[in-house]
Amino acid sequence: MAETVAIILAAGGSTRMNTQVAKVLHEVCGRPMLAYVLDACREIGISKIFVVIGFSAGEVKERFAGDDDIVWIQQDEQLGTGHAVLRCKEHLKDFDGQTLVLCGDGPLIRAQTLKTLIEKHESGHSAATLGTAILNDPSGYGRIFRDDYGNIQGIIEDSDCTPEQLKIKEINPSNYLFDNQALFEALETIKPENVKKEYYLTDAVSSIIATGHKVEAITAVPPDEAVGINSRAQLSAASKIMQRRIQRRLMEDGVTIVDPDNTWIDARAQIGQDTVIEPFTYIHGQVQIGQNCRIGPFAHLRHGTVLKNDVVLGVHTEVKNSTLADGVRARHHSYIGDAMVGRNVNFGAGSITANFDGEKVNKTNIGDNCYIGSGSVLIAPLELEDGSNVSAGTVVLQGSMRGLSGKARIDVSK
Ligand code: UD1
Ligand code: CA
């Protein structure tokens, strides 16, 4: 691959989303949408990524602090996608390689598709290569306009289309590869002469064609990668597609998901072989689940949960920021928060760790082979020694443990 940099456009707010938050920070399956676009670039080996930001720029930078392959480019006024790319000129005017341009609101694009785009661009010796998609419902997207020989003539924005052009089903998902010099030359020529009065990047493509350079549009983007997120409805549609991908990957890794439509798993979750996820399970955040576990139905696993192997969590059990060793069971209505739980501990129905005292969150440590009876409340901070046996209905305070050895039986009277 010739030297390639990427530009990701992420400066816009979003009127259609009706939001105060930068659009690219809205989450798809637990991660901000921009994260997926960055990953796709990294996966194909791009090590320098210019991200154009403007609306809520501070928040965007903060969220990706530590990603040192990103060069942040400020676009104070959002005058259009062409204007946004032109903000990078300072850094790229002398660059002789190729420039991939993507939108931060298109998180579904896959690395494999970008790879195809680059290969076609290089083998075709084009000045620009666009990936396009055919959509049953192309509304809202720029349409690809081809001549009678099938050569691309330009991209017409939805708002600028004639009724006849609106029928074109081939759209621009905003996945472009440019010869960098051709790109920046073309950007100098575009004018905001359109319905929105914006500087369109799509006009730079027409300009390159007009100067006689080779531009190819290849229908290489599958419909499920072409979704751009402009509204909350598209955000949920994209999340659904991403959720299916996450679940498919997990199933290939040997996880049983009994009812994929009624299960939600965060993109960051890791799940081991032969674990079974029962319906209505919700896994959010960085969660690690080992092998041969059985989770759900109706389980809720939150950020920082680590389950080793053979763990069983049943109906309405919630776990947060806790590590559960091999063989732990909590089959019904438990809450386990900020706890370290030893091997083979059994939580009876409705037993919980009371981890928040109204001011701060406190830790619970439970040794191996403990039995926590139904309806018990373990008030943190608390340590239970190996083999402790808490009888049903007990409220356990650290003080109540004084003088009791392991295997002690604690009951309501203590
Ligand atoms: C754009 C394309 C359209 C394509 C669609 C694919 C143009 C003119 N249109 O339309 O052909 O079908 O994407 O999803 O390019 N942005 C900036 N600065 C700006 C304006 C936009 O950084 O001044 C960013 C936005 O934050 C967004 C991306 O560029 O991430 C695309 O902008 P958006 O307004 O969503 O363009 P679309 O109307 O979707
Ligand atoms: Ca968009």
Side-chain angles (χ1 to χ4, degrees):
M1 179 168 96
E3 201 185 342
T4 308
V5 298
I7 297 177
I8 302 176
L9 306 182
S14 179
T15 356
R16 287 167 283 184
M17 295 268 287
N18 191 3
T19 178
Q20 308 276 346
V21 178
K23 180 158 70 168
V24 294
L25 290 185
H26 282 267
E27 289 183 358
V28 170
C29 298
R31 302 177 75 208
M33 54 177 105
L34 177 59
Y36 295 95
V37 187
L38 289 164
D39 280 358
C41 293
R42 290 170 182 146
E43 224 178 291
I44 57 167
I46 294 181
S47 54
K48 197 168 206 183
I49 308 174
F50 297 87
V51 182
V52 184
I53 47 173
F55 185 85
S56 292
E59 283 80 2
V60 180
K61 273 196 204 169
E62 199 181 305
R63 189 74 189 253
F64 292 90
D67 287 18
D68 32 0
D69 51 357
I70 298 178
V71 181
W72 298 106
I73 304 290
Q74 189 72 25
Q75 184 198 25
D76 291 327
E77 267 186 296
Q78 282 80 60
L79 302 180
T81 48
H83 181 264
V85 175
L86 201 49
R87 294 292 93 210
C88 305
K89 188 178 170 183
E90 189 71 5
H91 294 265
L92 289 173
K93 59 179 187 304
D94 299 323
F95 176 56
D96 275 326
Q98 51 200 27
T99 303
L100 179 69
V101 181
L102 303 171
C103 287
D105 67 355
L108 295 168
I109 187 66
R110 282 184 150 124
Q112 188 53 47
T113 305
L114 297 179
K115 228 170 140 195
T116 307
L117 193 65
I118 291 174
E119 282 161 12
K120 293 277 183 196
H121 182 79
E122 293 183 347
S123 62
H125 303 287
S126 301
T129 306
L130 282 63
T132 71
I134 311 280
L135 298 189
N136 283 332
D137 176 12
S139 53
Y141 295 93
R143 307 296 204 283
I144 304 298
F145 186 52
R146 293 183 188 260
D147 66 14
D148 294 343
Y149 304 99
N151 297 318
I152 179 168
Q153 295 300 292
I155 304 162
I156 310 164
E157 287 309 291
D158 188 84
S159 48
D160 298 311
C161 278
T162 63
E164 209 44 45
Q165 290 167 336
L166 283 176
K167 291 184 193 148
I168 299 172
K169 290 194 183 287
E170 187 179 10
I171 64 106
N172 166 35
S174 292
N175 308 139
Y176 316 81
L177 194 67
F178 292 96
D179 167 77
N180 184 69
Q181 292 300 324
L183 169 64
F184 282 92
E185 261 167 50
L187 284 170
E188 298 293 349
T189 68
I190 61 174
K191 299 196 172 65
E193 288 162 2
N194 47 59
V195 171
K196 292 192 183 160
K197 307 262 178 290
E198 288 183 2
Y199 293 89
Y200 285 167
L201 174 60
T202 46
D203 286 347
V205 175
S206 311
S207 165
I208 296 174
I209 296 169
T211 51
H213 289 98
K214 182 173 176 189
V215 174
E216 266 200 296
I218 52 163
T219 319
V221 184
D224 78 343
E225 295 182 35
V227 179
I229 300 177
N230 293 331
S231 65
R232 305 264 179 179
Q234 284 170 328
L235 178 66
S236 78
S239 299
K240 194 126 224 150
I241 293 168
M242 192 64 83
Q243 185 56 220
R244 257 186 256 131
R245 284 188 197 171
I246 293 165
Q247 294 194 13
R248 205 175 309 137
R249 169 176 51 82
L250 290 167
M251 290 194 257
E252 280 162 13
D253 289 350
V255 177
T256 293
I257 300 173
V258 175
D259 183 0
D261 287 339
N262 290 302
T263 302
W264 194 97
I265 303 175
D266 195 293
R268 295 163 292 176
Q270 292 168 8
I271 308 182
Q273 196 184 32
D274 291 321
T275 282
V276 177
I277 309 290
E278 300 281 5
F280 302 102
T281 293
Y282 181 69
I283 298 173
H284 186 260
Q286 213 125 33
V287 169
Q288 276 179 49
I289 302 175
Q291 299 184 352
N292 295 310
C293 296
R294 184 166 284 269
I295 312 297
F298 297 100
H300 182 196
L301 305 188
R302 293 165 53 198
H303 201 65
T305 294
V306 178
L307 309 180
K308 304 293 187 185
N309 302 324
D310 308 303
V311 171
V312 179
L313 301 180
V315 60
H316 297 298
T317 291
E318 175 170 316
V319 182
K320 175 216 126 190
N321 193 31
S322 296
T323 298
L324 279 52
D326 292 351
V328 171
R329 292 172 308 282
R331 290 186 197 272
H332 348 252
H333 301 276
S334 282
Y335 171 61
I336 303 166
D338 303 283
M340 293 291 292
V341 182
R343 288 158 180 272
N344 301 319
V345 169
N346 187 87
F347 289 87
S351 54
I352 65 159
T353 55
N355 57 334
F356 184 54
D357 59 15
E359 279 174 17
K360 60 183 189 313
V361 163
N362 300 302
K363 302 248 179 227
T364 302
N365 270 312
I366 300 174
D368 293 341
N369 304 310
C370 291
Y371 175 84
I372 316 295
S374 295
S376 330
V377 181
L378 307 180
I379 299 180
L382 182 70
E383 301 248 353
L384 288 184
E385 289 178 27
D386 290 352
S388 299
N389 185 336
V390 176
S391 60
T394 310
V395 176
V396 187
L397 282 159
Q398 189 62 49
S400 65
M401 300 296 297
R402 233 169 263 140
L404 297 172
S405 60
K407 304 243 185 237
R409 188 177 175 85
I410 304 156
D411 56 39
V412 211
S413 60
K414 296 250 161 59

